[in-house]
Amino acid sequence: MKRAHLKRNIRQIAFFATVWLFAALLYALVEFGLLGRLDYYPSTSNPYDFANALIYTVSGSFVMGLLQGSFEVLWLKRLFQRRPLWFKVIFKSLLYLFMICLFIIILAVLTNTQRLKVGLADPIIADNLAAFLSRFAFWSVVIYVGAILLVAMLLSEVSQYLGPGMLTNFFIGKYHKPFREQRIFMFLDMNDSTTLAESLGHEKYFALLRAYYAEMSDPILSNYGEIYHYVGDEVVVSWNLEEGLANGRCLQCFREISKRLESRESFFLDRYGAAPGCKAAFHLGEVTTGEIGELKKALIHTGDVLNTTARILGRCHEFEARALVSGELKRALPESNWNFEQVGTVNLKGKTEDTELYKVLWDD
């Protein structure tokens, strides 16, 4: 597994563990506040000690969060990627409900053996467990933990719509106040998209477009790209300067996308009767980044660099180039890894100064 994929999986799993951890802390504090000076649970008469309850609840919940996160990220997410939301919710709810009950039972048994200083086989453990399961105390815990599971799943789904790291950024208010930054942009466009749309029809073309974008996921992720937005058959990907320039990741991303589409040519031909190709334009520059919108929040970049990149993309056909790079970006890239051919200094529509353009010469 590539490093970028590993880091992303770890972050997603850690997110679930963190949600469970905070929920456990809240539960332990609420329980302590309700029991007050009591040293036993009124429902079962079992001994109560805040320190032990805190340790077992927090540590057990953290482990449960890691388990749920691992199931979700490494298995369930891929398994149900094409399923509708209602199906995901019903199946996952049943699975996690079973896991919750099993978790609480195991935690209760282990806690009682420590509190009562007896072994697992002692009859008093079974009696206390039966009493616990027959009371509302057990089901109240199930309901509470079930609510936390639902929150974790919903936040996870929302995070997918916003993109990696965006939910965290919105929570901490990173982009609440606009700020300036230097970024690299790649505008990537499907070749002959209009012709394909007309020949395939709306539904089949949309299915092709979905598969086309799906093939880009791994190359974008492995090269630390951030999907800014989709516009029909065009996708805009951006990088901060450090990550985009390192080893020419921005160009490597396009190379891997092109190779991926070429390797999947037979799949596209068999299923859709057409194999899509793509072209791209690259540029870097300063943008202002921040949140915008009242009815719907969105993160946007504003700056001349976006307009310029879009204009450069429009010149790919003229220069018969799979990828065009601006002079500014070309000079910033590690040239030892890439070969370029200057195609000229052109005047792009809407700009007063000419722009140097370079064709990327691919070695494969």
Side-chain angles (χ1 to χ4, degrees):
M1 183 183 294
K2 291 186 178 181
R3 183 180 177 186
H5 288 265
L6 181 60
K7 288 176 64 177
R8 181 170 183 258
N9 286 344
I10 290 175
R11 284 198 301 267
Q12 291 179 326
I13 293 172
F15 166 78
F16 283 93
T18 302
V19 171
W20 276 80
L21 181 64
F22 278 104
L25 285 171
L26 179 62
Y27 180 85
L29 292 174
V30 170
E31 182 182 62
F32 177 70
L34 292 175
L35 294 177
R37 297 180 178 275
L38 294 178
D39 57 0
Y40 65 94
Y41 289 96
S43 59
T44 61
S45 298
N46 287 335
Y48 168 74
D49 177 72
F50 174 69
N52 285 332
L54 182 65
I55 292 172
Y56 277 94
T57 302
V58 170
S59 60
S61 296
F62 183 76
V63 171
M64 191 62 187
L66 291 176
L67 290 175
Q68 187 202 0
S70 299
F71 268 97
E72 190 74 20
V73 173
L74 302 178
W75 180 45
L76 291 181
K77 184 175 291 185
R78 292 185 178 182
L79 186 63
F80 295 101
Q81 188 173 13
R82 301 295 184 184
R83 297 288 187 174
L85 183 60
W86 67 266
F87 186 89
K88 295 180 186 178
V89 171
I90 291 176
F91 182 88
K92 290 181 182 180
S93 296
L94 292 175
L95 175 62
Y96 289 134
L97 181 62
F98 171 78
M99 292 176 64
I100 290 170
C101 294
L102 183 62
F103 164 72
I104 294 175
I105 290 172
I106 293 174
L107 185 63
V109 169
L110 293 177
T111 303
N112 285 336
T113 58
Q114 195 278 333
R115 289 169 177 164
L116 301 174
K117 309 298 182 183
V118 297
L120 290 172
D122 194 295
I124 194 173
I125 298 298
D127 293 340
N128 283 337
L129 179 62
F132 177 57
L133 295 178
S134 65
R135 288 175 168 81
F136 181 72
F138 169 74
W139 297 107
S140 66
V141 174
V142 172
I143 293 171
Y144 178 79
V145 178
I148 300 305
L149 274 169
L150 181 61
V151 169
M153 284 192 293
L154 287 176
L155 290 177
S156 178
E157 291 293 329
V158 170
S159 179
Q160 289 189 62
Y161 282 97
L162 295 176
M166 289 297 104
L167 184 62
T168 302
N169 290 334
F170 278 122
F171 271 130
I172 65 178
K174 180 178 179 180
Y175 299 113
H176 185 68
K177 184 178 180 180
F179 66 94
R180 294 181 178 181
E181 59 178 338
Q182 293 284 328
R183 296 195 71 84
I184 299 170
F185 287 89
M186 174 179 75
F187 279 51
L188 187 146
D189 190 30
M190 181 190 291
N191 295 333
D192 304 317
S193 58
T194 303
T195 302
L196 284 174
E198 291 178 352
S199 62
L200 296 178
H202 292 295
E203 291 186 7
K204 196 169 184 179
Y205 175 71
F206 184 85
L208 178 143
L209 197 61
R210 175 182 284 176
Y212 167 76
Y213 281 138
E215 297 298 334
M216 300 180 187
S217 299
D218 284 343
I220 293 173
L221 179 61
S222 62
N223 287 286
Y224 298 85
E226 300 174 11
I227 295 178
Y228 179 36
H229 59 63
Y230 299 100
V231 184
D233 63 318
E234 180 180 287
V235 59
V236 179
V237 183
S238 74
W239 291 262
N240 64 50
L241 288 188
E242 181 180 357
E243 293 184 341
L245 293 177
N247 298 317
R249 283 197 187 113
C250 55
L251 296 184
Q252 182 64 26
C253 178
F254 177 72
R255 172 187 277 173
E256 291 181 13
I257 289 173
S258 297
K259 286 184 176 181
R260 188 73 174 261
L261 292 175
E262 289 173 4
S263 68
R264 299 282 284 169
E265 182 177 357
S266 59
F267 163 79
F268 280 99
L269 288 174
D270 291 342
R271 178 164 294 190
Y272 307 106
C278 58
K279 55 185 177 292
F282 298 84
H283 188 36
L284 65 78
E286 184 180 80
V287 293
T288 299
T289 303
E291 297 175 19
I292 195 170
E294 293 295 328
L295 298 179
K296 178 184 177 182
K297 292 290 184 182
L299 177 69
I300 68 164
H301 304 293
T302 60
D304 180 66
V305 58
L306 288 103
N307 294 327
T308 301
T309 312
R311 303 296 184 194
I312 294 173
L313 180 65
R315 308 300 282 266
C316 285
H317 180 73
E318 175 185 344
F319 295 113
E320 298 180 348
R322 290 168 58 193
L324 286 177
V325 175
S326 68
E328 291 92 331
L329 178 57
K330 183 258 182 186
R331 286 185 286 273
L333 286 165
E335 293 190 32
S336 59
N337 297 339
W338 305 94
N339 295 314
F340 302 93
E341 174 189 330
Q342 186 173 10
V343 296
T345 302
V346 299
N347 182 263
L348 299 174
K349 183 179 179 181
K351 293 186 65 65
T352 57
E353 297 181 0
D354 291 345
T355 303
E356 291 181 77
L357 295 182
Y358 290 82
K359 181 193 296 187
V360 183
L361 302 178
W362 308 99
D363 55 8
D364 46 20

